[in-house]
Structures are given as structure tokens and as C-alpha cells.
Amino acid sequence: MNESSIADLSGSEPVAFNAALAEPFNVLIVGVGGQGVIMVSKVLATLAQAHGFEVKQSEVHGMAKRGGTVFSHVRYGARVWSPTIAKGEADVLIALEWAEGLRWLPYLKRETGVFICDTKRIVPPFACLNRRPGATLRYSGETAEQVAAYVAEGYAIDATRMAEELGNERAANVVLLGALSTALEFPLPEWERVITQFVPKKSVAVNMAAFGLGRSWIAEARTAAPAAEAPVRPAPVHTPYAPRLEITAEWCKSCDICVKLCPERCLRLNAERVVELFAPEKCTGCRLCEWLCPDFAIRVHLDAEAVPEGITP
Amino acid sequence: MFTDAPNFDIRNYLRMEMMPHFLCPGCGHGMALRALLWALHELDIDKDKLAVVSGIGCAGRLSAYIDANTFHTTHGRPLAYATGLALARPDLHVVVISGDGDCLAIGGNHLIHACRRNLKLTCLMLNNEIYGMTGGQVSPTTSETRLTTTTPLGNTEPNFDACALATAAGAGFVGREVTRHVPKLKELIKAGLQHPGFAFVEVLSDCTEVYGRKNDMGSSAEMVMRQKSEMRPSVYRDSVDTPFRSTDLPTGILTRNDRPEYGASLRRAAALASKGAH
């Protein structure tokens, strides 16, 4: 961590409530690029450092711009040696995306670990079996209940929706920070001071509200019942369609443009050198062939398709 | 922008008895014609209120396929005919389809004066860098070093930047797009049709049979893909040895201003004159 970034807090007395931590406290923060994983870890690291702990933080954010996985290890304590958390060693696992949370579950301490997870679902491209809207997805099918049975203390919180209701979806990570603040022993004003440091000035109010919301949500969930898991929101359902190509054979001049430029390579010229759709199951109905045909020989119709069995959007 | 148009059936806008059209396989003009008809469809322009004027050449032939009021005029003069038409019938949407040779060489004078007057009409210049119909002679937009039937050693003349010319001559709306991006081209033509003054749209098209073959540019599909790979956001040339076609020119809406429209000015002056005379 950068020394200058904690200048604001240097005046405050280090709190010694946990100074005798024999073992470092491990927090693993995971999510998808753009969600604010790094911001959460910076807040936590700054906070811990301001309280006199030694802090080590390491992250992988290379895929962030591609919507890929991002994770950050934060370890703090009297002495910290390794910058990364070993499997089964994380005290808190905080996930900004549902499947990412499940992916990192083995890193959580089995007996005492706290799992805080946003139920937001961001489906990665490789979980899409084909590119048609509404097609079958290979996204994790585990329910919140199944996960709750696996972890010592688990919270599935719909932080993204809560932040959306506050007017800024991007504050979802601060909702989770609020949830995290209940699991750690730093005083509330310190949290708020550090968060104010890290969020843009214009959005301080909404982020403070988001923080409070996350805190109160966890408090409620603790008092209510262990079954207070928020239901996982289903992903939006698209109406599946079956593209159908209407080909005017007499107009086709075999120029090959549609065949070569089809992104799915599902067109070809037949024996009469007229275009035909030989792999209709691959066609996504993108209309590129229709647009690029100089002879207007192709027209794409998107017919409604009956939902085949087994589709779990 | 890339909205689906399920209601757009191009056959509603074509003279079906003329189809299939005479253009060579893979000719970019077909895509340009689709973009124009799509734009007309999306603007909901009545076919009876549409007049398409075209000159001579491959591009000039396109008016024959449009099911509207069409006018196939003399070489280089579609803008002159269209000027008269637009002044006499301001209720019509007048669209001019012209080629690069038609518009810049034979009709170059008409182009600059149409730009200068800023009369409300839309001029589509389909630039395929060659006189395709007459046998592949060099045109004012042929890139340097390119081979044509009249430049067997490679073209040594610098080519025209038609959009810069139109802007300098005072056109109210100037834009450029390639045929590869049909929806973008449609949006550009739409913006041009909605402009209250003279709208000049340069469409970078492909001549596969004459120009592409002569210059070893591959199949028509390869030429379409080349448009994408050679597209540059601004003027960019590697070296004289690497002949670039004019797709390394900027695309999109290049100029838009609200200079007074010529037809309205003329009618106002005529009204004043008729009052003063009596």
C-alpha cells in the first residue's frame, strides 16, 4: 500500500483490539472486472493499515477489461509474511458475483469462514453453449441453500438490486463493504472515512447509503433466522427464436460474400452455385448475410420457437 | 442503431419485373441501394413523394430498380436535373444517385455549384474508384498506383477527396461510409435525407469484376473484408509502395451546418419581386 494514501488517518491512534493477532486475518475479495473488487480491497487494506496492522494485498486484474475474473487477497495482522491466502485459509470470502463466489469457496475456512456473496449473475461467454439469445447456459446451478450448507456462515445478498434502488448500480460493492463491516471489528466512523476517500465526490451520499444498507441487511439476516437467504434472482429470459432464411435462388449470383462473412459459417454454395443454409442450428439470425447480399437474395425471418425442454435460462 | 427491421422487405421498394439487377456478382452498389431503400423505409417516405435522379454508369442504373419516380438522365447531369425538379416540386424528396466519374469528372462542375447553392436534395455518390460500365478507365477517385485499362503502369494522378471538395464548396451535410457497414450507412443516409439543405453522402463501394480483378484484390468477399481491415479513423498512409484505396479516409458525418436553403431563399425573393412589380 502506498504510504501517502493513509495520510488522512495518520492522526488517529492505532486501535489495539486485535494487535495480538497471532495469525493474520485473511479476506479474499472476488468478482468480475468492473465491479469494484480492487476498490473494496483498497478500502480494507487502508483501514487495516491505519489501525497499525501490517497489511499485504495482492491481486489479479488482468482480465478485468474483458469482463473476466478479478480477485484480491488482503491479509493483515501483527506480522504478515505471504501475500496470498492458501486454500482453506480465508476468514472472509466476499464475492461480487455469484459464480465467482462459488469458484473461490474452497479458499474459505471450513469451520469458521464467513461467506458474503452478491446474487448478481454475470454469465461468462464460455458458459454460453451457442450464441442465440435464450439458448441453454452452463451457469452454476447451485442454490443459496446448498451453499449455506457448505459454509459456516453465509449471506447471499442481492447487493446489485439494492444499489440499483439507491440509484447507482455501481455502489453494489459498497453494499458488500457494509456487509463485510459487520464481520470485522473496525469502528464504523473509520469505515465511513476511508470509503469517502475512495469513492468519487459526487457519489459519496449514495455510497454511504449503500454502506448502511449492507450493514442493516446483515443485522436483519442475523436476527431473523438462518433461512434469511435472499432468493437467487433468475437471469432475464429471452424469447428463443428460430432464424429462417428466405433465399431467392434466381437472384443469387454466387458472389460468395455471405458464405465468407457469415460469423457462424453456416452458409455455403450448393451444386448450382446458389447459397444455401446447411447448418440451420448454428444460425443466430444476425442478418449480416441479408445486409451484405448485393443481390437481395437473402431475407432473414426470426420465427418464434417453442422452448425446448431442458433449457434453464 | 442496429435495430431490427422486421417490416422492411426490400421487395416492396423494387421494380420486381427488373430484377435480378444487372450489377456484377459482389458489386458494392447493391449494398448501397439496400441502405438507401432501408433509410427511406425507416423515414416512412411515401414512394409517390420520392424522386430518384441518376446519371450514367453502374451507379446511374440503380434508379431503374427503385419503385418510385425515377429519372435516368445524361452523363454527369443528374444534379442539374434534380435542381430543377427540387425547385419546381419542393414537396418531393429528391435523391440523386451518381458514380464517382459521373459526379466528380463529367459532372464535377454541377457538384460544386449544387453544394454552393445548398438546395434541399440528397446526393449519393457511389465511389468504386473506376468507370466500371465503360470498361475500367481511370476515374478521379482512383487511388495512386492502381491499375486500370487506361493506366497500365499504375495511376500516377493524385485522387480526389470528394467529401473535402463538397465541404469546401459549401454543402450543408457531408458524410462518408463504406458498404461493409450497411446499418451505419443506412443511418448516415437517413441523417442526410433529414437534413434541410444539400446533403452529400459518399459511399465507398467495391468494383469486384473490373477494379478488383485488375488490381488482384481477391474475391468479392475478400474485398468486403478489406474494407474493414483497411479502414482507418483518419488519414493514414504507410508508404507509396503500399497502395491504399480511399477507405483510409475518415467516415461518418463530416460536416453539418445550417446555411440557408436555396429553394426557400429563391421562393422568398420571387414572392417579394411579384409583390413589388404590381
Side-chain angles (χ1 to χ4, degrees):
Chain A
M1 281 299 294
N2 187 348
E3 282 295 326
S4 64
S5 69
I6 56 156
D8 295 358
L9 292 166
S10 56
S12 62
E13 278 296 307
V15 182
F17 67 87
N18 248 346
L21 269 181
E23 289 292 316
F25 195 79
N26 301 324
V27 182
L28 180 57
I29 303 134
V30 300
V32 172
Q35 287 194 302
V37 171
I38 307 297
M39 183 268 185
V40 170
S41 66
K42 274 186 182 165
V43 167
L44 183 60
T46 310
L47 195 60
Q49 200 173 27
H51 282 77
F53 291 119
E54 189 174 307
V55 182
K56 282 207 165 80
Q57 187 240 343
S58 59
E59 69 201 27
V60 166
H61 60 250
M63 289 293 116
K65 281 231 166 137
R66 291 185 175 268
T69 176
V70 176
F71 61 86
S72 178
H73 298 242
V74 179
R75 309 188 75 211
Y76 62 90
R79 296 296 283 151
V80 180
W81 302 103
S82 169
T84 55
I85 303 169
K87 259 191 188 168
E89 289 297 318
D91 294 285
V92 178
L93 170 59
I94 176 158
L96 281 71
E97 200 269 343
W98 181 247
E100 287 300 319
L102 301 189
R103 185 207 299 281
W104 290 93
L105 265 183
Y107 279 73
L108 197 60
K109 279 185 184 163
R110 213 41 224 276
E111 289 76 28
T112 57
V114 181
F115 178 54
I116 302 172
C117 191
D118 192 344
T119 55
K120 166 90 174 167
R121 293 156 61 111
I122 299 174
V123 182
F126 50 78
C128 303
L129 296 178
N130 74 43
R131 285 160 56 173
R132 284 196 212 173
T136 316
L137 302 175
R138 212 160 26 193
Y139 195 84
S140 69
E142 286 85 352
T143 62
E145 287 72 32
Q146 286 170 315
V147 178
Y150 183 84
V151 297
E153 192 181 345
Y155 303 99
I157 168 171
D158 200 349
T160 307
R161 188 184 47 80
M162 288 158 80
E164 257 170 32
E165 282 167 9
L166 286 174
N168 190 349
E169 192 194 344
R170 294 167 68 189
N173 60 345
V174 181
V175 174
L176 291 172
L177 262 178
L180 174 68
S181 72
T182 60
L184 309 178
E185 297 175 45
F186 300 110
L188 181 60
E190 294 294 296
W191 278 104
E192 291 179 345
R193 271 174 68 181
V194 180
I195 292 171
T196 313
Q197 248 184 290
F198 279 96
V199 299
K201 279 206 180 67
K202 279 183 198 162
S203 63
V204 168
V206 64
N207 277 297
M208 283 304 128
F211 185 76
L213 211 56
R215 263 184 94 86
S216 53
W217 191 91
I218 294 282
E220 272 174 39
R222 275 186 183 155
T223 51
E229 313 268 357
V232 177
R233 222 164 19 132
V237 179
H238 298 276
T239 322
Y241 56 74
R244 179 169 57 84
L245 260 58
E246 182 186 346
I247 293 169
T248 315
E250 314 81 73
W251 291 6
C252 176
K253 289 178 186 155
S254 335
C255 71
D256 222 22
I257 288 179
C258 53
V259 175
K260 293 268 172 57
L261 273 94
C262 171
E264 304 295 333
R265 301 278 189 275
C266 56
L267 294 168
R268 70 175 173 209
L269 298 182
N270 64 14
E272 283 85 47
R273 305 273 297 156
V274 171
V275 64
E276 68 173 5
L277 178 65
F278 75 95
E281 73 286 352
K282 281 205 242 162
C283 175
T284 62
C286 71
R287 291 184 185 274
L288 199 59
C289 52
E290 179 179 337
W291 291 338
L292 289 180
C293 178
D295 298 289
F296 320 127
I298 305 179
R299 182 153 190 240
V300 179
H301 298 275
L302 302 181
D303 296 343
E305 184 186 64
V307 183
E309 282 183 25
I311 279 195
T312 48
Chain B
M1 182 172 172
F2 297 100
T3 47
D4 199 15
N7 300 322
F8 175 58
D9 186 348
I10 195 163
R11 287 170 288 198
N12 294 339
Y13 291 83
L14 294 175
R15 290 185 179 141
M16 293 297 280
E17 69 278 12
M18 301 284 286
M19 291 296 290
H21 55 55
F22 89 118
L23 298 170
C24 309
C27 178
H29 288 8
M31 302 168 206
L33 180 57
R34 165 181 291 277
L36 170 66
L37 297 180
W38 192 1
L40 294 168
H41 172 81
E42 290 207 347
L43 291 176
D44 205 13
I45 291 174
D46 185 1
K47 286 193 278 191
D48 290 336
K49 289 284 171 200
L50 172 69
V52 181
V53 186
S54 67
I56 298 294
C58 301
R61 266 301 280 258
L62 292 187
S63 65
Y65 303 107
I66 303 173
D67 184 21
N69 307 297
T70 59
F71 201 2
H72 196 170
T73 71
T74 52
H75 205 352
R77 273 71 182 165
L79 278 167
Y81 285 86
T83 300
L85 183 58
L87 284 175
R89 290 287 301 274
D91 58 316
L92 291 182
H93 282 269
V94 182
V95 177
V96 172
I97 303 179
S98 188
D100 48 319
D102 196 49
C103 199
L104 292 174
I106 300 101
N109 222 347
H110 293 293
L111 173 70
I112 56 174
H113 292 291
C115 292
R116 175 176 63 85
R117 291 189 195 106
N118 200 33
L119 175 65
K120 179 173 171 24
L121 51 89
T122 308
C123 175
L124 239 61
M125 191 190 93
L126 308 188
N127 177 3
N128 56 5
E129 304 198 6
I130 200 151
Y131 289 89
M133 189 184 261
T134 50
Q137 292 85 355
V138 67
S139 94
T141 53
T142 308
S143 297
E144 281 180 68
T145 75
R146 286 299 192 205
L147 302 173
T148 67
T149 48
T150 46
T151 56
L153 305 176
N155 182 23
T156 46
E157 295 177 12
N159 58 356
F160 246 137
D161 180 343
C163 287
L165 175 76
T167 303
F173 178 101
V174 178
R176 180 192 280 129
E177 195 52 76
V178 294
T179 51
R180 171 75 168 77
H181 301 303
V182 176
K184 277 170 93 176
L185 178 58
K186 173 216 44 168
E187 290 296 324
L188 182 67
I189 296 173
K190 254 169 87 176
L193 284 166
Q194 286 168 308
H195 184 75
F198 184 81
F200 179 79
V201 176
E202 180 182 2
V203 184
L204 299 178
S205 180
D206 281 328
C207 175
T208 54
E209 287 296 315
V210 183
Y211 192 67
R213 189 188 298 257
K214 191 109 186 154
N215 288 285
D216 203 12
M217 294 164 90
S219 68
S220 45
E222 280 165 43
M223 287 186 77
V224 173
M225 286 186 265
R226 184 189 291 264
Q227 290 185 356
K228 198 172 182 184
S229 61
E230 282 191 5
M231 274 282 283
R232 296 291 182 276
S234 59
V235 175
Y236 168 91
R237 279 174 198 279
D238 274 338
S239 69
V240 189
D241 301 334
T242 324
F244 270 84
R245 63 165 299 179
S246 52
T247 40
D248 55 349
L249 296 167
T251 57
I253 297 174
L254 305 176
T255 308
R256 183 156 30 183
N257 62 43
D258 48 0
R259 289 178 54 226
E261 199 264 326
Y262 174 63
S265 309
L266 185 69
R267 281 188 291 278
R268 205 177 308 117
L272 281 176
S274 62
K275 258 184 223 161
H278 303 289

